[in-house]
Amino acid sequence: MKHIRVYTFLVLTTLLTGLGLQSPSAHAALEIVITEGIDSARPVAVVPFEWRGNGEAPYDFTEVIAADLRRSGRFNPIAVDDMPGQPTSDGDVDYSAWARSGVEAILVGHVESQGIGRYRVSYELIDVLRGQITGGGSQSLQNGELVHSQDHIIESRSSVVNDGQFRQYAHRISDVVYEALTGERGAFMTRIAYVIVEPDSDLPYQLVVADYDGHNERTLLRSPQPLMSPSWSPDGSKLAYVSFENRRSEIYIQDIYSTERRQVTSFPAINGNPVFSPDGKRLAMVLSKDGQPDIYVLDLETDRLTRVTEHWRIDTEPSWVPDGSGLVFTSERGGRAQVYHVDVRSRNVRRLTFEGESNLGASVTPDGRHLIMVNRTNGRYHIAKQDFPSGRNFQVLTETQLDESPSLAPNGSMIIYSTKYRNRQVLALVSTDGRFRARIPSREGEVKAPAWSPFI
Amino acid sequence: MQINKLVKALVFALPVLALAACSSTEDTTADSEAERRATQERTQQEEQRGVETGSADRQMTPEEERRERMDELRQENTIHFEFDDSNISSEYAEVLDAHAEYLLNNPNVNVVVEGHTDERGTPEYNIALGERRANAVVNHLQNQGVLSSQLSTVSYGEEKPVVRRSNEEAWAQNRRAVLVY
């Protein structure tokens, strides 16, 4: 009877605080504090967009864009005061002055009204050095004809956006700039799911999603008992997670928009660590119903459950390789916990890690070239990286304390993880090359189990 | 001295009690009424004669003593573990034996054994480690003959620490199995 009541309350909470409602939770909003890596980042300028209308500008796009680029670890947007001018389109740019400022690219733009609540946002991304060489326009002979080109303009776009979409559109511009300058897709329009624990609250455990930068935080579920292991469906619309609401571990899948949730497993003993396959049709998980924790795969269409590993010692922490043909997982079969790979069809198992005392919680980068994991050396837990599958070029990426739960951005550029800072569990970021590091303090509570969404 | 007084009291009180018993009926209320009156009379007599009664401590049988100690041990429901380890240290053997005996004598009682870890290591690995600790306790109880139908486990890993701090003392308190009835 008690369980039923708790369950009803949980559902109610999810309905009331679902993403659709404008009820941002007041507590833990995250903020990103960059601790390392700005020196090695490429200088760029995000020039304030000109508002071509009356009164105050409706939105500060450039603040969001500059923050995005800085947090990517790749770029160091210079301060507005250090800019040699504030051009709003290619024609206004004093190329020699900008070339002297040392930035390699500038973003300029303007905003115009297009009726009530609608605005046209236009922007150009300009290669400053190329602009200086060609004087803002070059001429070349093509098929015997003189052609005027503007190859210093890397991107030039214009869109009409509603006032409710400003922040999202700013992230979209960041994606365009990032991809144009790095050749890699930007991950600024992504989300992060995580668990907040407020020990003194009646419902201490909360499953939360927010934009990757901590904005728009929404509580999907509050519970009196622990919530663990959120994992995104590949389309970014659902989360699988573990809930102890019935005083036992059970796996649920919840739609993040409709708040609809369903119980997927409730076997005796451990029901843990659900992970969607890259095609979204299967769910890897840890079950110990047959004696000890082993890796299983549940076909979500047929409900057929397949046991993938079978060993008398602990097997846990499954994570799909990008093509879905296999899983990396943690096993104690060799004594201490190490990372292994299992081919889902043949069930062949191969050990991948050998550095330090143990390695846990591994995942393969989206390009399939690196393994990211938690390494324990001399009793210290740090996030580390090595080549996949060879195991060469082992590198420890972090210097924080008790690091765990690393989750990769969908473009593979950044890792979000959980760590301990001043006796509290907080999230932190490190770039996959290890050069950029940031802390993400929350105002209250402990924050853990981060999961970076796929591209949305 | 005490014994003398006791003997004297008995000498005077017993005939009165015997009379009261004779006059009792099948009716229990009348019976207790008679007892009440007897006590009253006895007190009056004692007061008149200036005596007081005392009683000896009844000796507990060895069986009763053992049971009391078992009840005490059973108040202890937490077993602590070494880092990354699920062996039950010998100091907890007696505590677990007390729980085993209670469960054997009360086959309708069920217990949930919770497994917990400290915060070091990853949450998922700690769920597995917590389960191993809970299972170590379950195995110990089963070896004493407790029915497996009375026993279940749940591992909370590092999710429910007793002490939310990051030092050796806090970690030692958090590495535990708890018997929850």
Side-chain angles (χ1 to χ4, degrees):
Chain A
M1 196 53 207
K2 196 180 171 195
H3 289 332
I4 293 164
R5 243 183 301 139
V6 169
Y7 185 77
T8 316
F9 184 65
L10 284 162
V11 173
L12 269 179
T13 313
T14 62
L15 289 173
L16 292 172
T17 59
L19 277 179
L21 292 173
Q22 293 297 311
S23 62
S25 42
H27 42 266
L30 308 175
E31 165 204 356
I32 299 177
V33 181
I34 297 168
T35 52
E36 227 172 293
I38 283 303
D39 296 345
S40 58
R42 295 154 65 180
V44 293
V46 181
V47 182
F49 287 3
E50 183 190 26
W51 165 231
R52 295 182 180 168
N54 298 323
E56 291 255 313
Y59 191 71
D60 189 351
F61 289 90
T62 43
E63 186 191 353
V64 176
I65 298 164
D68 279 345
L69 295 177
R70 182 172 288 112
R71 277 192 296 258
S72 77
R74 302 287 187 89
F75 300 102
N76 183 15
I78 63 169
V80 173
D81 291 347
D82 295 337
M83 295 179 185
Q86 293 196 12
T88 63
S89 68
D90 165 51
D92 311 339
V93 180
D94 176 349
Y95 282 104
S96 50
W98 277 100
R100 277 197 305 277
S101 76
V103 303
E104 58 178 270
I106 61 175
L107 182 71
V108 297
H110 60 268
V111 182
E112 296 159 294
S113 177
Q114 293 267 304
I116 296 165
R118 288 167 64 78
Y119 300 86
R120 176 167 291 281
V121 184
S122 310
Y123 61 92
E124 293 170 310
L125 178 65
I126 296 166
D127 179 336
V128 173
L129 294 179
R130 183 75 190 147
Q132 190 198 20
I133 291 164
T134 62
S138 64
Q139 293 180 332
S140 58
L141 275 175
Q142 282 182 11
N143 299 329
E145 281 184 54
L146 197 62
V147 176
H148 185 78
S149 82
Q150 291 191 308
D151 61 358
H152 61 293
I153 300 179
I154 306 165
E155 285 287 346
S156 175
R157 298 192 186 199
S158 179
S159 286
V160 174
V161 291
N162 296 325
D163 52 8
Q165 303 171 318
F166 284 156
R167 192 172 184 90
Q168 197 184 345
Y169 193 68
H171 288 318
R172 174 83 194 111
I173 298 173
S174 302
D175 276 346
V176 169
V177 171
Y178 183 89
E179 183 160 358
L181 296 180
T182 67
E184 179 183 81
R185 192 168 168 187
F188 304 109
M189 276 167 58
T190 53
R191 291 193 168 117
I192 293 166
Y194 45 94
V195 172
I196 297 174
V197 185
E198 292 176 317
D200 300 330
S201 161
D202 288 343
L203 297 168
Y205 302 92
Q206 296 175 51
L207 176 63
V208 171
V209 295
D211 291 352
Y212 97 95
D213 59 2
H215 280 258
N216 294 321
E217 192 179 73
R218 293 288 187 277
T219 302
L220 298 186
L221 187 72
R222 277 172 178 257
S223 174
Q225 295 297 329
L227 297 167
M228 287 181 77
S229 325
S231 161
W232 292 87
S233 64
D235 66 356
S237 73
K238 295 185 194 78
L239 284 172
Y241 58 87
V242 173
S243 172
F244 286 79
E245 67 202 56
N246 295 319
R247 297 272 177 166
R248 50 188 298 167
S249 59
E250 294 167 324
I251 294 174
Y252 290 79
I253 292 178
Q254 182 166 334
D255 187 295
I256 68 166
Y257 302 111
S258 73
T259 74
E260 180 193 317
R261 72 199 281 263
R262 73 178 175 102
Q263 193 185 76
V264 182
T265 70
S266 181
F267 290 109
I270 295 174
N271 296 259
N273 208 338
V275 202
F276 282 98
S277 61
D279 64 6
K281 292 176 179 165
R282 292 166 293 168
L283 198 65
M285 62 184 67
V286 178
L287 302 173
S288 61
K289 66 186 181 69
D290 297 316
Q292 65 289 317
D294 276 312
I295 312 295
Y296 292 74
V297 171
L298 177 70
D299 187 313
L300 292 169
E301 287 169 351
T302 65
D303 263 351
R304 205 167 65 95
L305 188 65
T306 313
R307 189 172 184 174
V308 178
T309 69
E310 189 169 347
H311 196 276
W312 62 276
R313 300 198 68 168
I314 292 170
D315 287 347
T316 186
E317 301 182 324
S319 175
W320 294 90
V321 297
D323 70 2
S325 66
L327 296 151
V328 293
F329 66 102
T330 306
S331 178
E332 276 195 327
R333 58 187 66 201
R336 296 216 193 227
Q338 294 292 350
V339 179
Y340 294 75
H341 174 272
V342 60
D343 184 284
V344 174
R345 278 224 185 112
S346 69
R347 314 265 169 89
N348 286 340
V349 172
R350 195 160 52 91
R351 182 168 165 178
L352 297 173
T353 56
F354 297 88
E355 296 283 342
E357 290 134 25
S358 62
N359 292 282
L360 309 107
S363 51
V364 177
T365 52
D367 63 8
R369 291 170 53 205
H370 301 286
L371 188 75
I372 303 295
M373 67 248 177
V374 178
N375 170 263
R376 182 182 145 195
T377 298
N378 299 325
R380 292 173 199 280
Y381 294 85
H382 289 308
I383 308 300
K385 176 178 86 164
Q386 67 183 38
D387 291 353
F388 179 80
S390 74
R392 280 192 286 269
N393 297 318
F394 174 85
Q395 183 192 353
V396 173
L397 300 177
T398 58
E399 291 172 350
T400 36
Q401 278 178 26
L402 292 170
D403 304 341
E404 60 187 29
S405 307
S407 174
L408 278 153
N411 64 1
S413 66
M414 198 72 78
I415 302 156
I416 191 164
Y417 63 99
S418 167
T419 186
K420 207 84 184 188
Y421 181 71
R422 293 187 178 154
N423 254 321
R424 266 171 59 182
Q425 208 162 10
V426 299
L427 302 184
L429 287 170
V430 62
S431 61
T432 312
D433 63 15
R435 281 191 298 205
F436 172 88
R437 291 171 186 159
R439 271 198 321 272
I440 315 181
S442 80
R443 263 180 250 132
E444 271 174 68
E446 314 257 339
V447 188
K448 58 197 297 180
W452 209 313
S453 81
F455 293 114
I456 294 170
Chain B
M1 264 318 270
Q2 285 292 329
I3 290 169
N4 266 347
K5 277 186 194 168
L6 180 67
V7 171
K8 276 185 214 157
L10 283 173
V11 168
F12 292 108
L14 276 175
V16 179
L17 281 171
L19 278 174
C22 286
S23 68
S24 75
T25 63
E26 297 91 0
D27 189 351
T28 46
T29 37
D31 206 29
S32 57
E33 176 59 21
E35 253 173 55
R36 194 187 60 77
R37 235 181 288 135
T39 314
Q40 207 177 353
E41 279 174 40
R42 184 178 60 204
T43 317
Q44 278 170 1
Q45 283 176 355
E46 280 171 4
E47 273 167 12
Q48 284 163 12
R49 290 162 208 266
V51 297
E52 47 184 63
T53 58
S55 68
D57 284 342
R58 202 172 62 81
Q59 283 289 321
M60 275 209 290
T61 66
E63 175 55 25
E64 281 171 330
E65 259 181 22
R66 207 179 63 81
R67 189 155 296 159
E68 188 168 279
R69 174 153 169 71
M70 286 298 188
D71 286 344
E72 232 167 72
L73 281 168
R74 213 152 43 75
Q75 302 305 307
E76 179 63 69
N77 64 349
T78 305
I79 315 294
H80 291 279
F81 294 86
E82 294 298 310
F83 174 64
D84 209 358
D85 191 278
S86 55
N87 288 319
I88 295 170
S89 126
S90 56
E91 64 182 294
Y92 295 107
E94 228 186 347
V95 169
L96 286 178
D97 289 350
H99 285 278
E101 185 180 303
Y102 177 77
L103 288 163
L104 276 169
N105 293 335
N106 298 278
N108 295 324
V109 172
N110 297 335
V111 67
V112 178
V113 184
E114 296 179 354
H116 301 268
T117 70
D118 67 31
E119 63 184 346
R120 291 174 290 175
T122 58
E124 308 298 345
Y125 175 77
N126 281 333
I127 285 288
L129 178 58
E131 177 176 75
R132 204 156 63 189
R133 285 176 181 158
N135 282 341
V137 171
V138 162
N139 289 341
H140 187 102
L141 296 174
Q142 280 178 333
N143 288 342
Q144 311 286 309
V146 178
L147 299 171
S148 59
S149 59
Q150 290 176 273
L151 302 164
S152 62
T153 63
V154 56
S155 172
Y156 288 107
E158 62 176 87
E159 309 301 315
K160 295 182 100 173
V162 180
V163 185
R164 288 187 181 271
R165 302 220 126 247
S166 298
N167 55 48
E168 289 293 342
E169 198 184 318
W171 290 334
Q173 287 189 64
N174 291 336
R175 291 190 299 267
R176 69 204 193 277
V178 185
L179 292 101
V180 181
Y181 284 91

